[in-house]
């Protein structure tokens, strides 16, 4: 290779990189409130973040800027969002959060997507004094975590609340005489699935239920038919699956194939995704799942309409509204303080209540206990049937076949 | 002992001392990059210790790393055992695993080893999930410590330095000489009376020990451990890519590979958050096109040209 050849190759290479760079160029606005956002755009959690996290950030930023920006002491300021992909990797997430804090010097950061990422990023938020209003983070360690990190807020509940919701719903059905007391319970053998099953066993037993089938399956297993066949053979009244998105779909599909007749059928994460209803249509009528919302609430109805108009996507029937509400809390706290002072904003969040799409939110010991725990697909809509401190739960229906 | 050997270790010692000052200069973004780079330096050097001389591409990094991280999390979260006790215990579990895997596969030729290690991380992840699910249970694995990024950085630096020192000593020992012969022609090595299997397994165990130790130190940084995050097949591949980018003929090869890789990766992540994978592929193409023998090859070629 002679020098001219090297030069020619090098310039071709540079031209390719340069053109690509121009394509992703984005203009910077002056005199704005800079808001950072780190969440997965690639990796295992990217699918969930693309439903519940990113569209809400887009919607919120657009709405704040359309009304002229955040009202501060020295006039209105628009928000500018700086986004990074954490690639569903905690190490990458920490780097990106550090970059937001020390290089981009953002005024505020939107809390991460996923329990693990909220916990991994908390020390950085704490170090730089950013308030962290976590949504998609469900933990039984809320007390210890909020004690350790004074700017960390929780809004979607604890593992125990989450399981307790299911216990309430099934107990209610039993009291009405709709179901007996036999439960088939399965779980995905991975972090959160194991934790949920662990919490659920004693709670079900305490409530007088008999667990007639208790099995787990490995994460990512493609064949779930033995699980459903086994559960069916145990002849239960209710089926409960502590499942992740892929197996929520897989278990439902097998239940339809096997025509698994139970009076209550529950799958956990992703049952609330519009894609779930879209895939199974009327077959999953009366299926129970994690989350829920009240589409008849005018605020929620309006939020869902705006979400669809601006982002072109349906919000999910669970964490989407909470995610948007957390952003509303942040905006109201910044406006309440009147300046981008993180310490004052954190204190403001602790001391005030906020008017959001989820109703009035107030933090006690940095924890807002106002969320849906169980929802049910009722005629094409995933309605909340059990909640903590929210009114308007729909009556639970009995599952009747897979038509 | 040759003069160049002492020169090499002296240079390395100087670099370690210099690197120790990084957290005093910066404590934000650049430190977090330095922690990531130091993690990969330690992992890639440990990898080269075994795979450099033997030419066996090991994809077991994710498995060993995961054992370290996972055991620390389980011990601290479920049994209230201190971080230091778990840090002392966990790497030995990895050593036992390395011995078993090594004994099973290293007596065969290289390809069986590669294929076996490819699935190892996934297999161990499945195994620990199964044990946890059926016997131990879990309430979420939290690793909450008071370590700062600086502490983690220094611990990683010490690990990297020790791995390098061990590698340097092995290179000058009977074991190192045996490994070079095995790498060049295993048949010849056997005929010379070298117990090739024992030599390979011994080295693989050392690699396993330090890789797990890196996993132990990183666990407090992640704070919340999920099996599929620490038993990451992607990590195994990244380490191999970085080591190859640097060049595996020399123990210092991975170090010169990791630093530019980390910086390129960071530049891509920052500039093109919506297309990281695409640009990563593009830069690989450019690297392979222009520096096929890694940075070590490039540096040594330039050095030869200057002499000639």
């Amino acid at each position: 290779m002679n020098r001219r050849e090297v030069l020619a190759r090098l310039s071709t290479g540079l031209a390719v990189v340069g053109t690509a760079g121009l394509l992703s160029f984005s203009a910077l606005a002056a005199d704005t409130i800079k808001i950072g956002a780190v969440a997965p755009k690639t990796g295992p959690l990217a699918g969930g973040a693309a439903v519940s996290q990113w569209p809400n950030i887009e919607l919120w930023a657009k709405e704040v800027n359309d009304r002229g920006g955040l009202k501060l002491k020295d006039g209105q300021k628009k928000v500018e969002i700086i986004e990074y992909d954490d690639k569903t990797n905690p190490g990458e997430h920490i780097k990106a959060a550090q970059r937001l804090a020390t290089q981009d010097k953002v005024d505020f950061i939107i809390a991460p997507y996923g329990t693990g990422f909220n916990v991994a990023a908390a020390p950085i938020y704490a170090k730089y004094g950013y308030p962290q209003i976590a949504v998609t983070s469900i933990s039984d360690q809320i007390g210890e975590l909020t004690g350790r990190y004074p700017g960390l807020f929780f809004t979607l509940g604890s593992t125990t609340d989450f399981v307790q919701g299911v216990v309430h719903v099934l107990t209610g059905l039993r009291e009405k005489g709709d179901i007996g007391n036999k439960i088939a319970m399965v779980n995905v053998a991975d972090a959160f699935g194991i934790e949920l099953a662990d919490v659920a066993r004693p709670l079900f037993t305490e409530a007088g239920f008999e667990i007639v089938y208790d099995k787990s399956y490995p994460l990512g297993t493609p064949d779930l038919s033995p699980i459903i066949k086994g559960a069916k053979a145990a002849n239960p009244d209710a089926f409960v699956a502590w499942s992740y998105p892929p197996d929520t779909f897989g278990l439902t599909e097998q239940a339809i194939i096997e025509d698994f007749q139970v009076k209550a059928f529950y799958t956990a994460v992703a049952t609330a995704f519009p894609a779930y209803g879209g895939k199974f249509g009327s077959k999953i009528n009366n299926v129970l799942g994690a989350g829920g919302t009240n589409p008849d609430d005018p605020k929620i109805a309006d939020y869902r309409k705006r979400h669809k108009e601006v982002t072109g996507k349906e919000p999910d029937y669970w964490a989407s509204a909470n995610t948007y509400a957390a952003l509303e809390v942040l905006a109201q706290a910044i406006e309440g303080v009147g300046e981008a002072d993180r310490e004052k904003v954190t204190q403001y969040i602790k001391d005030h209540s906020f008017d959001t799409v989820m109703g009035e939110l107030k933090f006690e010991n940095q924890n807002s206990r106002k969320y849906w725990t169980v929802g049910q697909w009722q005629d094409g809509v995933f309605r909340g049937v059990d909640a903590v401190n929210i009114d308007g739960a729909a009556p639970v229906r009995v599952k009747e076949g897979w038509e | 002992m040759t003069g160049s050997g002492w020169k090499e270790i002296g240079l390395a010692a100087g670099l370690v001392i210099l690197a120790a000052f990084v957290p005093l200069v910066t404590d934000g973004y650049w430190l977090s990059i330095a922690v990531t780079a130091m993690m990969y330096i330690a992992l890639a050097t440990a990898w080269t210790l075994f795979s450099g001389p033997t030419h066996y591409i090991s994809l077991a990094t994710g498995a060993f790393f995961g054992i370290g991280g996972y055991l620390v999390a389980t011990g601290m979260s479920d049994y209230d055992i201190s971080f230091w006790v778990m840090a002392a215990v966990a790497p030995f579990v990895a050593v036992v695993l390395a011995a078993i895997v090594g004994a099973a596969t290293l007596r065969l030729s290289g390809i069986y080893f590669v294929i076996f290690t490819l699935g190892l991380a996934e297999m161990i992840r499945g195994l620990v999930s199964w044990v946890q699910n059926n016997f131990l249970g879990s309430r979420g694995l939290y690793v909450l410590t008071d370590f700062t990024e600086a502490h983690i950085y220094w611990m990683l630096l010490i690990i990297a330095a020790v791995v390098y020192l061990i590698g340097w000593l092995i290179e000058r020992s009977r074991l190192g000489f045996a490994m070079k012969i095995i790498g060049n022609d295993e048949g010849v090595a056997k005929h010379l009376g070298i117990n090739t299997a024992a030599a390979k397994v011994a080295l693989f165990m050392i690699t396993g020990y330090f890789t797990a130790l890196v996993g132990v130190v990183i666990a407090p940084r992640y704070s919340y451990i999920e099996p599929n995050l620490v038993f990451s097949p992607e990590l195994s591949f990244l380490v191999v890519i970085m080591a190859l980018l640097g060049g595996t003929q020399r123990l210092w090869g991975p170090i010169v590979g990791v630093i530019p890789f980390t910086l390129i990766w960071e530049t891509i992540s920052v500039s093109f958050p919506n297309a990281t994978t695409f640009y990563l592929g593009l830069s690989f193409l450019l690297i392979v096109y222009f520096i096929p023998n890694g940075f070590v090859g490039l540096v040594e070629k330039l050095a030869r040209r200057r002499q000639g």
Side-chain angles (χ1 to χ4, degrees), chain A residues 184-208:
Chain A
M185 183 175 94
V186 305
N187 70 281
V188 56
D190 195 64
F192 194 44
I194 299 175
E195 188 177 345
L196 285 167
D198 244 24
V199 173
R201 267 180 214 109
L203 288 180
F204 277 140
T205 316
E206 246 169 63

Side-chain angles (χ1 to χ4, degrees), chain B residues 42-308:
Chain B
L43 289 174
T45 311
W47 183 87
T48 306
L49 209 60
F50 171 77
S51 296
T54 58
H55 302 174
Y56 280 50
I57 303 284
S58 160
L59 293 171
T61 306
F64 295 138
F65 178 88
I67 286 175
Y70 185 81
L71 285 180
V72 164
T74 311
M76 288 181 69
S77 195
D78 289 348
Y79 299 96
D80 282 328
I81 302 172
S82 88
F83 174 80
W84 300 108
V85 172
M86 289 317 294
V89 173
F92 284 102
V93 177
V95 168
V96 172
L97 177 79
I100 296 169
V101 171
T105 57
L106 283 174
R107 280 176 299 174
L108 307 167
S109 74
I111 190 72
Y112 295 97
F113 175 77
V114 179
I115 292 170
F116 192 82
T117 57
L118 172 65
L120 191 65
E122 196 61 11
M123 189 187 93
I124 303 289
R125 186 189 65 72
L127 187 70
V128 296
S129 293
W130 180 79
V131 170
Q132 194 181 40
N133 187 53
N134 291 290
F135 304 108
L136 304 177
S138 168
R139 302 301 293 263
L141 300 175
Y142 296 86
V143 184
L144 301 175
T145 62
D146 292 323
F147 293 137
T148 63
E149 293 261 283
H151 296 135
I152 292 170
Y153 175 84
W154 280 318
M155 286 192 269
L156 290 171
L157 177 64
I158 292 168
I159 297 173
V162 171
V163 173
Y164 194 89
L165 183 66
I166 288 177
W168 184 83
L169 289 173
I170 288 175
E171 234 171 50
R172 278 148 192 80
S173 69
R174 281 160 53 89
L175 180 62
F177 189 53
M179 291 324 282
K180 271 178 213 144
I181 302 171
I182 293 170
N184 287 328
D185 193 324
E186 203 162 334
V188 170
K190 274 186 187 148
H191 283 294
L192 286 173
I194 297 171
N195 185 345
T196 57
K200 285 186 286 183
V201 172
L203 212 53
F204 192 51
M205 284 159 69
I206 298 175
T207 294
Y209 180 89
F210 286 104
T211 309
L213 201 55
V214 174
V216 165
V217 171
I218 287 295
R221 190 182 196 219
Y222 286 6
S223 302
Y224 181 85
I225 303 293
E226 291 185 39
N228 57 346
L229 284 179
V230 285
F231 290 100
S232 153
E234 189 191 83
L235 182 78
S236 309
F237 283 103
L238 279 176
V239 166
V240 174
I241 289 164
M242 287 186 211
L244 292 180
L245 172 63
T248 57
Q249 308 95 310
R250 298 279 178 274
L251 200 55
W252 49 267
I255 302 172
V256 293
V258 167
I259 294 169
F261 185 92
T262 315
L263 293 177
I264 292 172
W265 187 222
E266 190 59 24
T267 313
I268 291 172
S269 306
V270 168
S271 317
F272 316 111
N274 292 310
T276 45
T277 326
F278 169 72
Y279 286 99
L280 184 67
L282 195 69
S283 35
F284 275 146
L285 286 179
L286 294 174
I287 288 166
V288 173
Y289 199 47
F290 288 107
I291 37 174
N293 291 323
F295 284 118
V296 170
L298 198 69
V299 169
E300 293 192 338
K301 198 166 118 194
L302 289 177
R304 268 202 305 277
R305 189 176 294 173
R306 260 178 77 187
Q307 278 170 4

Side-chain angles (χ1 to χ4, degrees), chain A residues 58 82 188 320:
Chain A
E58 185 191 339
I82 300 173
V188 56
S320 279

Side-chain angles (χ1 to χ4, degrees), chain A residues 6 14 18 33 53 83 89 139 161 171 179 215 237 244 269 289 305 314 320 330 360 387 393 398:
Chain A
V6 171
L14 283 177
I33 295 276
Q53 183 90 349
E83 296 179 3
N89 175 324
S139 163
D161 281 340
T171 313
I179 62 169
K215 270 273 179 331
D237 300 302
Y244 280 176
V269 185
K305 198 169 127 246
E314 287 254 10
S320 279
L330 183 63
E360 191 192 320
V398 172

